Amino acid sequence: MQLIIKDDQQNPDIGRKAAEDLIKEDVAAIIGPMTSDMGMVIAPILNKVRLLNVSPTVTTQHLTGIDDYFFRVTSSAHAHATLSARYQIDSGDMRRVAAAYDKGNSSFTESWLKSFESLFIAEGGKIVATVAFNTKEKRSFSDIAGELLGHKS
């Protein structure tokens, strides 16, 4: 048995090609990818050929509850987000939140934020600002934090 490593570079075209190349190499299974957006790209390709896909980190809600060949070894984004919202509400310390999320992995970040927001607001919390960014744009976290802090609520 041999380990074959491919890097999707968080690029859908490269991710598709890597999955197709691994299929051609007749691999037994694929472990990965690391991000939900790349999981969304390769899952349909791997399902089509019935190739087992196990990811330690993909949590997007979009790949939940489907009878397919994709398996995750962690909870979904929804489970993590609602647990976080519940903790914030129960602690009593945080009722107002400003959120930054990465559009470069939107199938994870947007579903996480939506799940967090839903419970948090229903329980009396308030989202005072959201800022979308993309890590590929090389924007500094200081700028993002400044934009969040600049929102008037």
Side-chain angles (χ1 to χ4, degrees):
M1 190 160 300
Q2 177 185 352
L3 177 65
I4 301 169
I5 299 171
K6 300 282 184 183
D7 180 2
D8 62 34
Q9 299 176 34
Q10 191 61 18
N11 178 309
D13 294 330
I14 295 171
R16 270 186 219 88
K17 173 97 169 73
E20 291 163 355
D21 289 349
L22 290 168
I23 291 166
K24 287 176 188 168
E25 293 187 48
D26 200 29
V27 297
I30 292 180
I31 299 173
M34 296 303 294
T35 67
S36 292
D37 273 7
M38 292 299 98
M40 295 289 295
V41 167
I42 70 166
I45 296 166
L46 303 181
N47 287 335
K48 194 176 197 179
V49 297
R50 299 179 173 180
L51 182 58
L52 178 65
N53 179 201
V54 179
S55 176
T57 54
V58 169
T59 61
T60 182
Q61 199 62 20
H62 300 297
L63 294 173
T64 300
I66 303 169
D67 185 13
D68 63 3
Y69 292 85
F70 171 79
F71 296 87
R72 72 175 110 234
V73 294
T74 187
S75 298
S76 68
H78 176 76
H80 287 290
T82 55
L83 186 64
S84 179
R86 172 60 49 212
Y87 174 80
Q88 302 309 329
I89 292 295
D90 289 350
S91 74
D93 295 334
M94 190 179 305
R95 296 291 177 167
R96 297 164 24 100
V97 171
Y101 61 98
D102 183 1
K103 297 287 285 183
N105 190 19
S106 62
S107 64
F108 162 67
T109 59
E110 289 177 6
S111 72
W112 192 98
L113 183 57
K114 181 179 176 184
S115 293
F116 178 88
E117 206 171 34
S118 181
L119 178 62
F120 191 70
I121 291 170
E123 295 290 327
K126 182 178 180 185
I127 307 294
V128 297
T130 58
V131 172
F133 66 94
N134 188 323
T135 52
K136 290 181 181 180
E137 295 170 354
K138 307 289 186 212
R139 189 169 172 206
S140 77
F141 287 116
S142 300
D143 288 344
I144 295 165
E147 189 173 337
L148 287 169
L149 291 169
H151 278 82
K152 302 291 181 206
S153 55

